[in-house]
Amino acid sequence: MAMSPSAMAPTPDCMTNLLNLSDCLTYVEAGSNLTKPDKPCCPELAGLVESSPQCLCYLMDKNATANYGIDIDMERALKLPNVCHVKTP
């Protein structure tokens, strides 16, 4: 049984969450040579997973991030939870 749009939970503002992960961008952007993310990145990622885990899919959408001029290296981005020791759903 499908839910009507009005019955669905409100969508979190995933763009705001992307901005909150700005300390991770230097690690996950295409061409980065960093071996580990900036120190604030992992707590920011953990906070996102706790508060809005559904935004992870949005943030991994290369087209969505490219619309904002952000070129994400998907391989590095997908490894970020392991690098940060953050368990994702």
Side-chain angles (χ1 to χ4, degrees):
M1 182 164 126
M3 294 173 62
S4 69
S6 61
M8 293 170 50
T11 304
D13 183 358
C14 291
M15 193 58 218
T16 298
N17 285 308
L18 175 61
L19 294 174
N20 290 340
L21 287 173
S22 61
D23 291 307
C24 299
L25 286 177
T26 55
Y27 179 77
V28 299
E29 66 188 350
S32 173
N33 292 320
L34 294 178
T35 57
K36 62 182 181 176
D38 292 337
K39 191 171 185 171
C41 171
C42 294
E44 291 167 2
L45 178 64
L48 171 68
V49 170
E50 186 175 314
S51 67
S52 302
Q54 61 275 36
C55 286
L56 289 173
C57 293
Y58 176 80
L59 298 177
M60 294 297 164
D61 180 349
K62 194 162 181 72
N63 292 328
T65 54
N67 287 336
Y68 297 100
I70 303 167
D71 187 12
I72 301 290
D73 179 332
M74 287 298 130
E75 188 173 325
R76 289 175 74 89
L78 290 170
K79 291 179 182 177
L80 189 59
N82 285 337
V83 170
C84 287
H85 308 290
V86 174
K87 188 172 182 171
T88 56

